[in-house]
């Protein structure tokens, strides 16, 4: 029997963003998925076709972890996987791959000097040196670990309201990427009124319960009876039910945002600091993103402290934001965001998820398109992408094409036939 294993050792959002890869594998043989034990219940809900293996990726109990890993490795040895897809550049996930012949491992492999990237992972990873020009969604990065993944339109359903009201994600794990509570309250009030006063669900972990109480104090009294605070009150399967059927979700770049997109819930997302929508924006049709732009420090490194007082937050606090949001939600062409912000609508092309500018300016647009064409040229959708990309190449576009080729074709891997790049 042809058996395949996906190792996803990261957090909730990454588990959801592995969706294109997992759905692509589902029809090709028996599919197994290894995740942190805390995410195993959610993995079974999202991917009922997969055999889920719970591993202690984030436990502090080393002795217990070693015992559990030993049991799983013994089982894997008996299963004899034909292909293994390791999704993260981490010592934990890559160490597990030492059980398998190197030629069966795609993504991140054990090497003599530590984890090594396979050819596709190496090429795509080069884009991190030019993040402001990035144009590859993480869903598609993992999706192309196989040479002919599922079409992008088959990954997430088009976003449509389900009648269950407005969801509000209070914050993400990284505070710099989240909006302050007073600002969030103004946005919630505006969107709530535009939607005709629906029910509101506050979503988050137990860490966000204090933020939920502050948000309620900031909201007008007329809204209080409409608000249900679910922060810290749902396990992961219950979170799926809390998100499913919402008419809209307000959120920073979070795992709940990706869950909403996978469930077909329309997302209104706010990206700043290290969050960059071209990399980790909501996947599929029908989502709106407000992205901070115009500063040389954007997007920044999450692990590095901000030396500028999170100045990318300031445009979100300007008066014109709420009016622009109203225009975007109502589909009016008059949306004028404050300077330093861009409005994007999620879309799909032959390669995968892509964003279309609907407000503001994109200084990197030409280079972004050139990178996308270069990426597509080495995939199974090269012809379809080229046929759909009818934009005339100006001298600046031609220069951008050369830059894209130089950045992405830095080694002899490009000499391999396209179907072998995974």
């Amino acid at each position: 029997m042809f058996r395949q294993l996906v190792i996803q050792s990261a957090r909730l959002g990454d588990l959801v963003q592995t969706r294109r890869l997992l759905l692509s594998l589902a029809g090709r043989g028996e599919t197994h998925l290894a995740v942190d034990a805390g995410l195993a219940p959610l993995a079974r809900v999202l991917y009922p076709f997969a055999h889920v293996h719970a591993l202690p990726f984030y436990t502090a109990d080393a002795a217990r972890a070693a015992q559990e890993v030993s049991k799983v490795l013994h089982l894997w040895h008996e299963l004899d996987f034909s292909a293994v897809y390791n999704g993260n550049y981490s010592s934990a996930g890559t160490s597990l791959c030492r059980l398998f012949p190197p030629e069966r491992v795609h993504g991140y492999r054990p090497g003599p000097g530590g984890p090594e990237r396979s050819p596709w992972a190496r090429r795509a990873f080069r884009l991190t040196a030019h993040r402001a020009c990035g144009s590859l969604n993480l869903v598609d990065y993992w999706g192309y670990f196989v040479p002919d993944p599922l079409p992008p339109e088959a990954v997430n359903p088009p976003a449509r309201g389900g009648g269950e009201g407005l969801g509000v994600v209070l914050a993400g794990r990284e505070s710099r990427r989240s909006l302050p509570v007073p600002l969030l309250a103004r946005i919630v009030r505006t969107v709530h009124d535009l939607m005709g006063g629906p029910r509101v669900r506050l979503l988050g972990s137990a860490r966000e319960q204090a933020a939920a109480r502050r948000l309620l104090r900031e909201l007008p009294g007329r809204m209080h009876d409409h608000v249900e605070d679910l922060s810290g009150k749902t396990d992961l399967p219950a979170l799926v039910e809390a998100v499913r059927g919402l008419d809209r979700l307000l959120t920073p770049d979070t795992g709940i945002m990706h869950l909403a997109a996978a469930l077909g819930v329309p997302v209104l997302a706010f990206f700043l600091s290290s969050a960059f929508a071209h990399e980790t924006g909501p996947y599929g049709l029908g989502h709106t993103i407000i992205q901070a732009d115009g500063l040389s420090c954007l997007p920044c490194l999450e692990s590095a402290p901000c030396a500028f007082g999170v100045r990318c937050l300031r445009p979100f606090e300007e008066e014109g934001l709420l009016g622009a949001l109203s225009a975007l939600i109502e589909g009016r062409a008059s949306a004028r965001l404050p300077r330093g912000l861009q409005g994007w609508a999620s879309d799909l092309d032959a390669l995968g998820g892509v964003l279309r500018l609907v407000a503001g300016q994109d200084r990197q647009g030409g280079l972004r398109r050139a990178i996308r064409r270069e990426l597509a040229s080495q995939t199974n959708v090269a012809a379809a992408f080229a046929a759909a990309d009818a934009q005339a190449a100006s001298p600046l576009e031609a220069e951008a094409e050369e830059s894209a080729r130089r950045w992405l074709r830095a080694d002899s891997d490009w000499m391999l036939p396209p179907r072998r790049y995974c």
Side-chain angles (χ1 to χ4, degrees), residues 62-399:
R64 178 170 165 267
Q67 188 177 35
E68 293 180 9
V69 169
S70 178
K71 291 178 183 177
V72 171
L73 291 180
H74 180 73
L75 174 62
W76 287 1
H77 180 74
E78 293 181 345
L79 290 171
D80 188 28
F81 293 111
S82 302
V84 178
Y85 301 90
N86 180 25
N88 295 97
Y89 190 77
S90 69
S91 56
T94 308
S95 294
L96 296 172
C97 293
R98 294 187 182 279
L99 181 67
F100 313 108
E103 64 273 11
R104 297 187 190 179
V105 181
H106 307 275
Y108 300 91
R109 306 163 172 163
E116 294 179 349
R117 297 179 181 90
S118 58
W120 166 254
R122 267 204 308 277
R123 292 176 209 125
F125 191 80
R126 292 191 187 107
L127 292 177
T128 61
H130 313 278
R131 285 186 68 201
C133 311
S135 60
L136 182 66
N137 192 287
L138 191 56
V139 172
D140 299 318
Y141 169 66
W142 281 319
Y144 281 97
F145 276 19
V146 294
D148 51 348
L150 203 69
E153 61 271 17
V155 178
N156 289 342
R160 295 187 180 92
E164 293 295 321
L166 175 64
V168 178
V169 181
L170 294 158
R173 285 195 307 120
E174 171 54 54
S175 61
R176 287 202 326 245
R177 292 160 53 150
S178 303
L179 299 179
V181 169
L183 173 58
L184 179 60
R186 294 197 296 274
I187 293 171
V188 170
R189 184 172 64 245
T190 298
V191 175
H192 176 265
D193 292 348
L194 281 170
M195 294 175 63
R199 299 286 301 175
V200 179
R201 292 176 185 163
L202 305 185
L203 304 169
S205 68
R207 293 193 306 265
E208 280 80 54
Q209 288 178 329
R213 291 191 291 270
R214 291 198 302 273
L215 180 65
L216 276 170
R217 289 196 296 269
E218 294 279 348
L219 293 175
R222 61 181 171 80
M223 285 185 60
H224 286 189
D225 289 341
H226 294 197
V227 178
E228 181 183 12
D229 178 13
L230 296 180
S231 60
K233 299 172 185 174
T234 59
D235 60 13
L236 289 176
L239 177 64
V240 172
E241 296 310 311
V243 173
R244 192 192 306 275
L246 288 172
D247 294 299
R248 191 176 299 274
L249 181 77
L250 304 185
T251 180
D253 181 6
T254 62
I256 300 178
M257 177 194 76
H258 296 296
L259 179 60
L263 295 171
V265 172
V267 167
L268 174 56
F270 303 91
F271 276 62
L272 66 156
S273 184
S274 58
F276 191 50
H278 296 277
E279 296 171 342
T280 58
Y283 196 90
L285 299 174
H287 309 294
T288 303
I289 303 100
I290 309 300
Q291 171 75 61
D293 178 61
L295 298 172
S296 60
C297 53
L298 290 173
C300 61
L301 286 175
E302 186 172 302
S303 58
C306 178
F308 306 106
V310 196
R311 59 183 179 178
C312 57
L313 174 63
R314 295 170 197 164
F316 288 94
E317 297 176 324
E318 293 189 13
E319 285 186 12
L321 175 68
L322 299 181
L325 283 180
S326 299
L328 287 171
I329 290 171
E330 294 175 344
R332 289 185 273 123
S334 58
R336 292 187 177 275
L337 287 166
R339 186 175 181 180
L341 297 179
Q342 300 167 326
W344 297 90
S346 64
D347 203 351
L348 299 171
D349 62 16
L351 183 65
V354 67
L355 300 181
R356 306 295 185 197
L357 190 70
V358 293
Q361 296 182 333
D362 182 18
R363 297 170 301 159
Q364 307 292 348
L367 190 48
R368 205 184 313 283
R369 289 189 297 272
I371 289 173
R372 197 160 183 81
R373 285 194 292 271
E374 182 61 29
L375 287 168
S377 72
Q378 297 297 316
T379 72
N380 67 311
V381 299
F385 189 93
D389 184 23
Q391 290 186 337
S394 67
L396 287 177
E397 289 273 320
E399 184 178 338

